[in-house]
Amino acid sequence: MDSTAAEMLCQIREQVAEKIGGNRFRTWFGEATRFQLSGDALDIAVPNAFVGNWITTNYLTQIADSARQVIGSEPRIKVRISPAIEPVATGIASPRNSELPPAGPSHGAVNGAPRTEAPARLRGDLVSFVAGPGNELAYMTACAVARAPGKVVKHLLLHGGCGLGKTHLLHGICNAINEDHPHLEWRYVSGEEFTNEFIYAVKAGRIDLFRAKFRNVDVLAIDDIHFLANKKATQDEFLHTFNAIDVSGKTVVLSSDRHPRTIAALSEPLVNRLLAATIAVVDPPDYRTRREILRRRAATMQCEPPPEVLDYVARHVSRNVRELEGALFKLAAMATLMRESITLELARRALADLLDAERPPASSEIEQLVTTFFGVGREAIRSKSRDRNVSLARAVTMYLIRKHTSMSFPEIGRATGHKNHSTVLMAARRIQDGLDRNGAVAWRTSTGLQERPLKQVLEEIEQKLR
Ligand code: ADP
Ligand code: MG
């Protein structure tokens, strides 16, 4: 199999995992199931009929969608039994066989007894991470944790938008510990897996096993902890887990899509706990970093786009690294399928739809970002409520829609449920005045009243828009 096909399969698997969740993916598609591209078909080799039926009944749509996204067309999907493939110990065993369902890779001695299976290897590595102005602090801190876990940085929280490398860095820390400190035990899970495991353990009456699993580690990595928002019981358990690990001098590394102060619906003690960690932001990469990421990625794919193509892609795809990689990937796939070499002309064609997506944001997207930021519901800003958070969120939404779209005041009024366009006019004026005065705004959060310069608040929201 050539490296482009291997890369495509890897991306298809990643997309399926994203769609159905890491836990389910590991159970049904982990080591036990193999993907292969043969002609216009996607071959899925499964270890037995049970797994085959399960995949066919439950996941064909997600597999087809993922394949379409990656290859650009939908292949025929063939599920076949290949008994040579043995499920691994943590793979397909039914929940009855194992006391708790598998939650993420880990390595190290378990309760004193060394593990026999090879340590799981996660996808991202610190050496393959390209550092630049947006992510330098996050990268350096991740390296410090990996070099000497529990020493300089005991608790690390990385936050930033989607596709900017947070998971890559958490993976990198775990992989580096695996190699450089093999005697240390680590565990990596997503916030979703942690939550599911907790619920399962409570239902099964085996919270003791859950605690043994998450507290007796040297390094606990939990990705996407914003998933815990609104889940009070899981947050409490996580806080106890965090405290227990801390008391024993061990390390916790976390990622979140927002700064903990702006994750609405996290309990106050948990927010305070998170604020005490070393917090590093991962911002979108600048042009040079994007260019270097592309260059290295192209090298691993063994496709060699000419420099002007790398320039073109790096210049035009700027929102996040996942899209950047996706663009390169699409380009390589098109070149292979159409038997053309990678030229600027092909790049223009391949990226036309992506560039189209760089149109001005929709008003609903702005509304969504602002309501999430201030922790208010969409319905609230469409109401006449004079509540402090609601009226601030409403004014910011209207102002940003005016700034980033070509909508008129009456159109903005209609789009945000306010018939009278003078409401929009006044809201936009209120924000503009605040900016001109270099003023601050205040709103309620779970940790009390927040006060920040208006300019900074708008910049933070606009950053996410891009
Ligand atoms: P996040 O967890 O922040 O949503 P990921 O870590 O999943 O993002 O990154 C998305 C993709 O981009 C991954 O394939 C990752 O390896 C790659 N990536 C992100 N940032 C970098 C970087 N600075 N250097 C190299 N690859 C990166
Ligand atoms: Mg991630």
Side-chain angles (χ1 to χ4, degrees):
M1 182 166 37
D2 71 28
S3 63
T4 306
E7 188 72 31
M8 273 192 215
L9 290 173
C10 189
Q11 294 251 353
I12 294 174
R13 287 177 70 92
E14 272 172 23
Q15 298 260 353
V16 175
E18 211 159 86
K19 288 189 173 65
I20 71 173
N23 223 1
R24 266 186 233 124
F25 183 81
R26 262 192 290 280
T27 303
W28 300 105
F29 297 91
E31 295 296 313
T33 299
R34 302 257 189 281
F35 284 28
Q36 209 174 355
L37 277 173
S38 45
D40 62 345
L42 174 64
D43 226 36
I44 302 178
V46 296
N48 55 47
F50 178 66
V51 177
N53 285 338
W54 190 271
I55 290 179
T56 310
T57 316
N58 295 288
Y59 301 128
L60 275 193
T61 319
Q62 290 91 333
I63 297 170
D65 286 349
S66 305
R68 198 178 332 104
Q69 274 168 354
V70 173
I71 307 173
S73 62
E74 198 168 304
R76 277 182 304 120
I77 297 172
K78 290 197 288 194
V79 179
R80 66 182 170 82
I81 299 166
S82 170
I85 300 171
E86 287 297 325
V88 293
T90 51
I92 192 59
S94 76
R96 254 175 285 119
N97 291 347
S98 57
E99 298 221 61
L100 280 178
S106 62
H107 173 60
V110 177
N111 299 335
R115 282 179 176 236
T116 45
E117 77 261 34
R121 187 162 177 86
L122 298 167
R123 194 168 48 85
D125 273 308
L126 291 177
V127 282
S128 64
F129 191 84
V130 181
N135 59 29
E136 206 142 38
L137 179 64
Y139 174 68
M140 310 267 273
T141 342
C143 291
V145 172
R147 214 170 16 247
K151 293 286 182 325
V152 186
V153 180
K154 275 201 160 73
H155 311 135
L156 172 62
L157 169 63
L158 303 175
H159 73 97
C162 180
L164 294 181
K166 302 180 299 294
T167 297
H168 188 135
L169 287 173
L170 292 195
H171 281 182
I173 292 173
C174 295
N175 282 335
I177 290 172
N178 225 0
E179 273 147 38
D180 303 336
H181 310 275
H183 58 287
L184 293 183
E185 201 180 320
W186 57 268
R187 187 173 290 284
Y188 167 92
V189 280
S190 67
E192 182 181 3
E193 287 165 337
F194 184 85
T195 306
N196 292 344
E197 281 255 341
F198 174 63
I199 295 169
Y200 187 94
V202 171
K203 277 198 191 135
R206 294 317 307 263
I207 197 76
D208 53 333
L209 282 179
F210 176 88
R211 291 187 176 150
K213 191 165 182 174
F214 287 102
R215 295 184 185 188
N216 299 335
V217 289
D218 298 289
V219 179
L220 177 64
I222 305 189
D223 208 354
D224 297 330
I225 49 146
H226 51 265
F227 189 82
L228 268 56
N230 283 319
K231 299 183 178 66
K232 174 82 175 68
T234 314
Q235 285 179 31
D236 289 346
E237 184 61 31
F238 171 62
L239 185 61
H240 294 312
T241 308
F242 198 143
N243 290 337
I245 295 183
D246 183 33
V247 166
S248 52
K250 306 294 169 56
T251 303
V252 180
V253 290
L254 305 166
S255 86
S256 157
D257 69 350
R258 259 159 286 161
H259 190 283
R261 227 188 249 121
T262 59
I263 308 178
L266 273 193
S267 75
E268 190 179 336
L270 181 52
V271 172
N272 289 334
R273 194 66 171 103
L274 297 176
L275 290 177
T278 301
I279 299 180
V281 67
V282 186
D283 276 329
D286 65 352
Y287 169 75
R288 284 171 70 120
T289 315
R290 296 200 297 274
R291 177 72 166 68
E292 178 60 12
I293 292 173
L294 278 177
R295 193 191 62 76
R296 290 208 209 166
R297 204 77 177 92
T300 64
M301 288 163 65
Q302 287 167 14
C303 76
E304 280 175 31
E308 68 271 18
V309 170
L310 292 181
D311 291 342
Y312 179 82
V313 179
R315 206 166 335 106
H316 286 90
V317 185
S318 57
R319 245 186 312 224
N320 68 51
V321 183
R322 193 169 295 144
E323 278 190 11
L324 194 65
E325 289 185 340
L328 179 64
F329 198 70
K330 185 164 180 201
L331 197 54
M334 265 179 81
T336 307
L337 293 173
M338 298 164 84
R339 296 180 205 286
E340 282 184 38
S341 51
I342 300 180
T343 58
L344 200 52
E345 208 278 310
L346 185 72
R348 288 211 174 93
R349 265 188 288 145
L351 303 192
D353 57 340
L354 248 183
L355 302 187
D356 194 35
E358 300 218 327
R359 68 195 182 287
S363 62
S364 56
E365 194 186 332
I366 296 176
E367 193 180 42
Q368 165 87 47
L369 279 171
V370 179
T371 47
T372 309
F373 185 92
F374 291 108
V376 301
R378 192 165 160 265
E379 284 319 308
I381 69 163
R382 288 163 173 262
S383 74
K384 291 199 159 37
S385 163
R386 317 275 334 145
D387 172 88
R388 179 203 290 264
N389 282 27
V390 174
S391 85
L392 178 60
R394 186 187 296 128
V396 169
T397 303
M398 291 173 169
Y399 172 84
L400 287 178
I401 296 179
R402 179 72 184 155
K403 180 171 169 191
H404 290 280
T405 71
S406 55
M407 287 166 81
S408 66
F409 286 122
E411 281 168 341
I412 298 173
R414 280 194 294 280
T416 54
H418 292 273
K419 288 198 194 80
N420 194 342
H421 84 272
S422 63
T423 316
V424 186
L425 202 72
M426 272 150 54
R429 202 171 283 156
R430 174 181 159 197
I431 298 298
Q432 190 58 54
D433 285 350
L435 284 174
D436 294 344
R437 277 185 290 108
N438 219 352
V441 284
W443 71 99
R444 287 184 317 276
T445 69
S446 52
T447 47
L449 205 62
Q450 271 270 337
E451 183 165 330
R452 304 244 306 269
L454 176 59
K455 183 160 175 277
Q456 210 184 71
V457 167
L458 293 182
E459 275 172 7
E460 193 167 318
I461 297 170
E462 287 176 311
Q463 181 82 44
K464 293 203 165 67
L465 260 185
R466 274 173 236 131

